[in-house]
Amino acid sequence: MNDFIVICIILVLLLVAAVTVVTVLIASGILRPIRELYVATEKIAEGDFEVRASADSRDEIEVLVHGFNNMAGNMQGLISKVKEDEQKMRRADLRLLQEQINPHFLYNTLDTIVWLIEGN
């Protein structure tokens, strides 16, 4: 009888260990893609818009990862467009200032010539 109890205890302990290992594997399989998505989200928040997440699963997490990657690509495109527009705006402002300076400079030059002629 004692041998049977010892064998049962050993089997129960082995079963508990096996269940624990399987639970850890399942949990890590679920949490790994979520953790990768979290890390990618933090990098996007820091300003690295080239980061992309990956998912090997065929569930809702993969849908989230694809949506995240699309969003990151759109954000990267929009930010580059804004930078490009700002550069165009700066160039246009510079041209506008140059066009304002040129007539003013010409007027001052002609006015100086008139003053020199009047002053002999």
Side-chain angles (χ1 to χ4, degrees):
M1 192 64 158
N2 285 337
D3 291 339
F4 179 72
I5 293 174
V6 170
I7 291 174
C8 285
I9 291 174
I10 291 173
L11 286 177
V12 167
L13 291 176
L14 287 175
L15 183 62
V16 167
V19 167
T20 303
V21 168
V22 169
T23 303
V24 167
L25 288 175
I26 290 173
S28 67
I30 292 171
L31 293 177
R32 186 186 46 79
I34 294 173
R35 192 172 300 118
E36 285 182 24
L37 189 59
Y38 175 75
V39 169
T41 304
E42 283 187 338
K43 288 182 181 178
I44 289 282
E46 292 172 359
D48 182 12
F49 295 102
E50 294 181 11
V51 70
R52 299 294 182 265
S54 63
D56 299 331
S57 60
R58 299 281 179 218
D59 55 5
E60 292 83 5
I61 301 297
E62 184 179 20
V63 173
L64 284 173
V65 167
H66 286 298
F68 173 82
N69 289 338
N70 289 337
M71 179 193 66
N74 290 339
M75 287 174 65
Q76 185 178 15
L78 289 172
I79 287 174
S80 65
K81 186 177 182 328
V82 165
K83 286 181 182 178
E84 192 176 302
D85 289 345
E86 284 178 357
Q87 288 176 351
K88 286 179 184 177
M89 186 72 95
R90 286 187 192 128
R91 282 188 225 123
D93 287 343
L94 182 62
R95 272 189 253 128
L96 180 64
L97 285 174
Q98 286 175 341
E99 289 175 7
Q100 288 176 350
I101 290 171
N102 288 341
H104 185 71
F105 178 74
L106 182 62
Y107 175 79
N108 285 343
T109 305
L110 292 174
D111 194 40
T112 303
I113 293 171
V114 167
W115 279 94
L116 288 173
I117 290 173
E118 289 178 357
N120 287 335

